[in-house]
Amino acid sequence: MDHQRSLGFLMHDVASRMRYRFDARARALGVTRQQWRVIFWLARTPGVTQAELADTLEVERITLCRMIDRMAEAGLVERRADPSDRRVWRLHLLPEAVRIADKLAEIGAEVEREALAALSPEAADIVIDSLERLRNGLRHRETEAVGQREIA
């Protein structure tokens, strides 16, 4: 088997190269990769709890807490108490972070356009459709596996 042509290797390599290009441009906004990931997710899911965000980003809760502390001090995010549970903090972007989120979206679209420029529009559609099918198939299998563990 040619490992250079394996699906896993190719997907990892393409994602890594796109992330490198994205990081290089995002650095000019003054945020780290971890910070732009937080901004990205909070832009999509305002009011998420710190625990939910830590799980989504696959980081330890204490690590995220420290990061949120620094981002709050920098005027990027704020914690708001959950009205139904005083122990829970909900996270929201502040205006400066919203501006950064908009710029991150522009950078992401630019990097995607660059990556897809190597393909015809038809081929790009096929790649994206195929990746969506792969993702959905894997999600289905994960759901099946969880169900089988619960039965056992």
Side-chain angles (χ1 to χ4, degrees), residues 41-77:
W41 281 103
L42 289 181
R44 291 179 64 187
T45 56
V48 69
T49 68
Q50 285 186 191
E52 292 166 338
L53 185 59
D55 291 344
T56 298
L57 297 178
E58 298 178 341
V59 298
E60 295 295 324
R61 291 179 182 187
I62 189 66
T63 301
L64 180 68
C65 183
R66 289 182 186 129
M67 188 183 326
I68 297 299
D69 286 344
R70 287 190 299 276
M71 292 177 77
E73 289 171 14
L76 298 173
V77 299

CSV table of all heavy atoms in Angstrom, one decimal, residues 41-77:
chain,number,residue,atom,x,y,z
A,41,TRP,N,-15.7,29.1,17.7
A,41,TRP,CA,-16.8,28.3,18.3
A,41,TRP,C,-17.8,29.2,19.0
A,41,TRP,O,-19.1,29.0,18.9
A,41,TRP,CB,-16.4,27.2,19.2
A,41,TRP,CG,-15.9,26.0,18.4
A,41,TRP,CD1,-14.6,25.7,18.1
A,41,TRP,CD2,-16.7,25.1,17.7
A,41,TRP,NE1,-14.6,24.6,17.3
A,41,TRP,CE2,-15.9,24.2,17.0
A,41,TRP,CE3,-18.1,24.9,17.6
A,41,TRP,CZ2,-16.3,23.2,16.2
A,41,TRP,CZ3,-18.6,23.9,16.8
A,41,TRP,CH2,-17.7,23.1,16.1
A,42,LEU,N,-17.4,30.2,19.7
A,42,LEU,CA,-18.3,31.1,20.4
A,42,LEU,C,-19.1,32.0,19.4
A,42,LEU,O,-20.3,32.3,19.6
A,42,LEU,CB,-17.6,32.1,21.3
A,42,LEU,CG,-17.0,31.4,22.6
A,42,LEU,CD1,-16.3,32.4,23.5
A,42,LEU,CD2,-18.1,30.7,23.4
A,43,ALA,N,-18.5,32.2,18.2
A,43,ALA,CA,-19.3,33.0,17.2
A,43,ALA,C,-20.4,32.1,16.7
A,43,ALA,O,-21.5,32.6,16.3
A,43,ALA,CB,-18.4,33.4,16.0
A,44,ARG,N,-20.2,30.8,16.6
A,44,ARG,CA,-21.2,29.8,16.1
A,44,ARG,C,-22.2,29.4,17.2
A,44,ARG,O,-23.3,29.1,16.9
A,44,ARG,CB,-20.5,28.6,15.6
A,44,ARG,CG,-19.8,28.8,14.3
A,44,ARG,CD,-19.1,27.6,13.8
A,44,ARG,NE,-20.1,26.6,13.4
A,44,ARG,CZ,-19.7,25.3,13.1
A,44,ARG,NH1,-18.5,25.0,13.1
A,44,ARG,NH2,-20.7,24.5,12.7
A,45,THR,N,-21.8,29.4,18.5
A,45,THR,CA,-22.6,29.0,19.6
A,45,THR,C,-22.5,29.9,20.8
A,45,THR,O,-22.0,29.5,21.8
A,45,THR,CB,-22.2,27.5,20.0
A,45,THR,OG1,-20.9,27.5,20.3
A,45,THR,CG2,-22.5,26.5,18.9
A,46,PRO,N,-23.0,31.1,20.6
A,46,PRO,CA,-22.9,32.1,21.7
A,46,PRO,C,-23.7,31.5,22.9
A,46,PRO,O,-24.7,30.9,22.8
A,46,PRO,CB,-23.6,33.3,21.2
A,46,PRO,CG,-24.3,33.0,20.0
A,46,PRO,CD,-23.7,31.7,19.5
A,47,GLY,N,-23.1,31.7,24.1
A,47,GLY,CA,-23.8,31.3,25.4
A,47,GLY,C,-23.5,29.9,25.8
A,47,GLY,O,-24.0,29.4,26.7
A,48,VAL,N,-22.5,29.2,25.1
A,48,VAL,CA,-22.1,27.9,25.4
A,48,VAL,C,-21.5,28.0,26.8
A,48,VAL,O,-20.9,29.0,27.2
A,48,VAL,CB,-21.2,27.3,24.3
A,48,VAL,CG1,-19.9,28.0,24.3
A,48,VAL,CG2,-21.0,25.8,24.5
A,49,THR,N,-21.5,26.9,27.6
A,49,THR,CA,-20.9,26.9,28.9
A,49,THR,C,-19.4,26.5,28.7
A,49,THR,O,-19.0,26.0,27.6
A,49,THR,CB,-21.5,25.8,29.8
A,49,THR,OG1,-21.2,24.5,29.3
A,49,THR,CG2,-23.0,26.0,30.0
A,50,GLN,N,-18.6,26.9,29.7
A,50,GLN,CA,-17.2,26.6,29.6
A,50,GLN,C,-17.0,25.1,29.5
A,50,GLN,O,-16.1,24.6,28.7
A,50,GLN,CB,-16.4,27.1,30.9
A,50,GLN,CG,-16.2,28.6,30.8
A,50,GLN,CD,-15.4,29.1,32.0
A,50,GLN,OE1,-15.3,30.2,32.2
A,50,GLN,NE2,-14.7,28.2,32.7
A,51,ALA,N,-17.7,24.3,30.2
A,51,ALA,CA,-17.6,22.8,30.1
A,51,ALA,C,-17.9,22.3,28.7
A,51,ALA,O,-17.2,21.5,28.2
A,51,ALA,CB,-18.5,22.2,31.2
A,52,GLU,N,-19.0,22.8,28.2
A,52,GLU,CA,-19.3,22.4,26.8
A,52,GLU,C,-18.3,22.7,25.8
A,52,GLU,O,-17.9,21.9,24.9
A,52,GLU,CB,-20.7,23.0,26.4
A,52,GLU,CG,-21.9,22.5,27.2
A,52,GLU,CD,-23.1,23.3,27.0
A,52,GLU,OE1,-23.0,24.5,26.6
A,52,GLU,OE2,-24.2,22.8,27.2
A,53,LEU,N,-17.7,24.0,25.9
A,53,LEU,CA,-16.7,24.4,25.0
A,53,LEU,C,-15.4,23.6,25.2
A,53,LEU,O,-14.8,23.2,24.2
A,53,LEU,CB,-16.4,25.9,25.2
A,53,LEU,CG,-15.4,26.5,24.2
A,53,LEU,CD1,-15.9,26.3,22.7
A,53,LEU,CD2,-15.2,28.0,24.5
A,54,ALA,N,-15.0,23.3,26.4
A,54,ALA,CA,-13.8,22.4,26.6
A,54,ALA,C,-14.0,21.1,26.0
A,54,ALA,O,-13.1,20.6,25.3
A,54,ALA,CB,-13.6,22.3,28.1
A,55,ASP,N,-15.2,20.5,26.1
A,55,ASP,CA,-15.4,19.2,25.5
A,55,ASP,C,-15.4,19.3,23.9
A,55,ASP,O,-14.8,18.5,23.3
A,55,ASP,CB,-16.8,18.7,25.9
A,55,ASP,CG,-16.8,18.2,27.3
A,55,ASP,OD1,-15.8,18.1,28.0
A,55,ASP,OD2,-18.0,18.1,27.9
A,56,THR,N,-16.0,20.4,23.4
A,56,THR,CA,-16.0,20.6,21.9
A,56,THR,C,-14.5,20.7,21.4
A,56,THR,O,-14.2,20.2,20.4
A,56,THR,CB,-16.8,21.8,21.6
A,56,THR,OG1,-18.1,21.6,22.0
A,56,THR,CG2,-16.8,22.1,20.1
A,57,LEU,N,-13.7,21.5,22.1
A,57,LEU,CA,-12.4,21.8,21.7
A,57,LEU,C,-11.4,20.7,22.1
A,57,LEU,O,-10.2,20.7,21.7
A,57,LEU,CB,-11.9,23.1,22.2
A,57,LEU,CG,-12.7,24.4,21.8
A,57,LEU,CD1,-12.1,25.6,22.4
A,57,LEU,CD2,-12.6,24.5,20.3
A,58,GLU,N,-11.9,19.7,22.8
A,58,GLU,CA,-11.1,18.6,23.3
A,58,GLU,C,-9.8,19.1,24.1
A,58,GLU,O,-8.7,18.7,23.8
A,58,GLU,CB,-10.7,17.7,22.2
A,58,GLU,CG,-11.8,17.0,21.5
A,58,GLU,CD,-11.5,16.2,20.3
A,58,GLU,OE1,-10.4,16.3,19.7
A,58,GLU,OE2,-12.3,15.4,19.9
A,59,VAL,N,-10.1,20.0,25.1
A,59,VAL,CA,-9.1,20.5,26.0
A,59,VAL,C,-9.6,20.3,27.4
A,59,VAL,O,-10.7,20.2,27.6
A,59,VAL,CB,-8.7,22.0,25.7
A,59,VAL,CG1,-8.1,22.2,24.3
A,59,VAL,CG2,-9.9,22.9,26.0
A,60,GLU,N,-8.6,20.2,28.3
A,60,GLU,CA,-9.0,20.1,29.7
A,60,GLU,C,-9.7,21.4,30.2
A,60,GLU,O,-9.5,22.5,29.7
A,60,GLU,CB,-7.7,19.9,30.6
A,60,GLU,CG,-7.0,18.7,30.3
A,60,GLU,CD,-7.7,17.4,30.7
A,60,GLU,OE1,-8.5,17.5,31.7
A,60,GLU,OE2,-7.6,16.4,30.0
A,61,ARG,N,-10.7,21.2,31.1
A,61,ARG,CA,-11.5,22.3,31.5
A,61,ARG,C,-10.7,23.4,32.2
A,61,ARG,O,-10.9,24.6,32.0
A,61,ARG,CB,-12.6,21.8,32.4
A,61,ARG,CG,-13.6,21.0,31.6
A,61,ARG,CD,-14.7,20.4,32.5
A,61,ARG,NE,-15.6,19.7,31.6
A,61,ARG,CZ,-16.7,19.2,32.0
A,61,ARG,NH1,-17.2,19.3,33.2
A,61,ARG,NH2,-17.5,18.5,31.2
A,62,ILE,N,-9.7,23.0,32.9
A,62,ILE,CA,-8.8,24.0,33.6
A,62,ILE,C,-8.0,24.8,32.6
A,62,ILE,O,-7.8,26.0,32.7
A,62,ILE,CB,-7.9,23.4,34.7
A,62,ILE,CG1,-7.3,24.4,35.5
A,62,ILE,CG2,-6.9,22.4,34.1
A,62,ILE,CD1,-8.2,25.3,36.4
A,63,THR,N,-7.6,24.1,31.5
A,63,THR,CA,-6.8,24.8,30.5
A,63,THR,C,-7.7,25.8,29.8
A,63,THR,O,-7.3,27.0,29.6
A,63,THR,CB,-6.3,23.7,29.4
A,63,THR,OG1,-5.5,22.8,30.1
A,63,THR,CG2,-5.6,24.4,28.3
A,64,LEU,N,-8.9,25.5,29.5
A,64,LEU,CA,-9.9,26.4,28.9
A,64,LEU,C,-10.2,27.5,29.8
A,64,LEU,O,-10.2,28.7,29.4
A,64,LEU,CB,-11.2,25.7,28.4
A,64,LEU,CG,-12.1,26.7,27.8
A,64,LEU,CD1,-11.6,27.2,26.4
A,64,LEU,CD2,-13.5,26.1,27.6
A,65,CYS,N,-10.3,27.2,31.1
A,65,CYS,CA,-10.6,28.3,32.1
A,65,CYS,C,-9.5,29.3,32.1
A,65,CYS,O,-9.8,30.5,32.1
A,65,CYS,CB,-10.8,27.7,33.5
A,65,CYS,SG,-11.2,28.8,34.8
A,66,ARG,N,-8.3,28.9,32.1
A,66,ARG,CA,-7.2,29.9,32.1
A,66,ARG,C,-7.1,30.7,30.8
A,66,ARG,O,-6.9,31.9,30.8
A,66,ARG,CB,-5.8,29.1,32.3
A,66,ARG,CG,-5.7,28.6,33.6
A,66,ARG,CD,-4.3,27.9,33.8
A,66,ARG,NE,-4.2,27.2,35.1
A,66,ARG,CZ,-3.9,25.9,35.3
A,66,ARG,NH1,-3.6,25.2,34.2
A,66,ARG,NH2,-3.8,25.4,36.5
A,67,MET,N,-7.4,30.0,29.7
A,67,MET,CA,-7.5,30.7,28.4
A,67,MET,C,-8.6,31.8,28.4
A,67,MET,O,-8.4,32.9,28.0
A,67,MET,CB,-7.7,29.7,27.3
A,67,MET,CG,-7.5,30.3,25.9
A,67,MET,SD,-7.9,29.2,24.5
A,67,MET,CE,-7.3,27.6,25.2
A,68,ILE,N,-9.8,31.4,28.9
A,68,ILE,CA,-10.9,32.3,29.0
A,68,ILE,C,-10.5,33.5,29.9
A,68,ILE,O,-10.9,34.7,29.6
A,68,ILE,CB,-12.2,31.6,29.4
A,68,ILE,CG1,-12.6,30.6,28.4
A,68,ILE,CG2,-13.3,32.6,29.7
A,68,ILE,CD1,-12.9,31.1,27.0
A,69,ASP,N,-9.8,33.2,31.0
A,69,ASP,CA,-9.4,34.3,31.9
A,69,ASP,C,-8.5,35.3,31.1
A,69,ASP,O,-8.8,36.5,31.2
A,69,ASP,CB,-8.5,33.8,33.0
A,69,ASP,CG,-9.3,33.0,34.1
A,69,ASP,OD1,-10.5,33.2,34.1
A,69,ASP,OD2,-8.7,32.3,34.9
A,70,ARG,N,-7.6,34.8,30.3
A,70,ARG,CA,-6.7,35.7,29.5
A,70,ARG,C,-7.5,36.5,28.5
A,70,ARG,O,-7.3,37.7,28.2
A,70,ARG,CB,-5.6,35.0,28.9
A,70,ARG,CG,-4.5,34.5,29.9
A,70,ARG,CD,-3.2,33.9,29.2
A,70,ARG,NE,-3.5,32.8,28.4
A,70,ARG,CZ,-3.6,31.5,28.8
A,70,ARG,NH1,-3.4,31.3,30.1
A,70,ARG,NH2,-3.8,30.5,28.0
A,71,MET,N,-8.4,35.8,27.8
A,71,MET,CA,-9.2,36.4,26.8
A,71,MET,C,-10.2,37.4,27.4
A,71,MET,O,-10.4,38.5,26.7
A,71,MET,CB,-10.0,35.4,26.0
A,71,MET,CG,-9.0,34.5,25.1
A,71,MET,SD,-9.9,33.2,24.2
A,71,MET,CE,-10.6,34.1,22.9
A,72,ALA,N,-10.7,37.2,28.6
A,72,ALA,CA,-11.5,38.2,29.2
A,72,ALA,C,-10.7,39.4,29.6
A,72,ALA,O,-11.2,40.5,29.4
A,72,ALA,CB,-12.2,37.5,30.5
A,73,GLU,N,-9.5,39.2,30.1
A,73,GLU,CA,-8.7,40.4,30.4
A,73,GLU,C,-8.3,41.2,29.2
A,73,GLU,O,-8.2,42.4,29.3
A,73,GLU,CB,-7.4,39.9,31.1
A,73,GLU,CG,-7.6,39.3,32.5
A,73,GLU,CD,-6.3,38.7,33.0
A,73,GLU,OE1,-5.2,38.8,32.4
A,73,GLU,OE2,-6.4,37.9,34.0
A,74,ALA,N,-8.2,40.5,28.0
A,74,ALA,CA,-7.9,41.2,26.8
A,74,ALA,C,-9.2,41.8,26.1
A,74,ALA,O,-9.1,42.4,25.1
A,74,ALA,CB,-7.3,40.2,25.8
A,75,GLY,N,-10.3,41.7,26.7
A,75,GLY,CA,-11.5,42.3,26.2
A,75,GLY,C,-12.1,41.5,25.0
A,75,GLY,O,-12.8,42.1,24.2
A,76,LEU,N,-11.9,40.2,25.0
A,76,LEU,CA,-12.4,39.4,23.8
A,76,LEU,C,-13.7,38.7,24.2
A,76,LEU,O,-14.5,38.5,23.3
A,76,LEU,CB,-11.3,38.5,23.3
A,76,LEU,CG,-10.1,39.1,22.8
A,76,LEU,CD1,-9.0,38.1,22.5
A,76,LEU,CD2,-10.4,40.0,21.5
A,77,VAL,N,-13.8,38.2,25.4
A,77,VAL,CA,-14.9,37.4,25.8
A,77,VAL,C,-15.4,37.8,27.2
A,77,VAL,O,-14.6,38.5,27.9
A,77,VAL,CB,-14.6,35.9,25.9
A,77,VAL,CG1,-14.3,35.3,24.5
A,77,VAL,CG2,-13.6,35.5,26.9
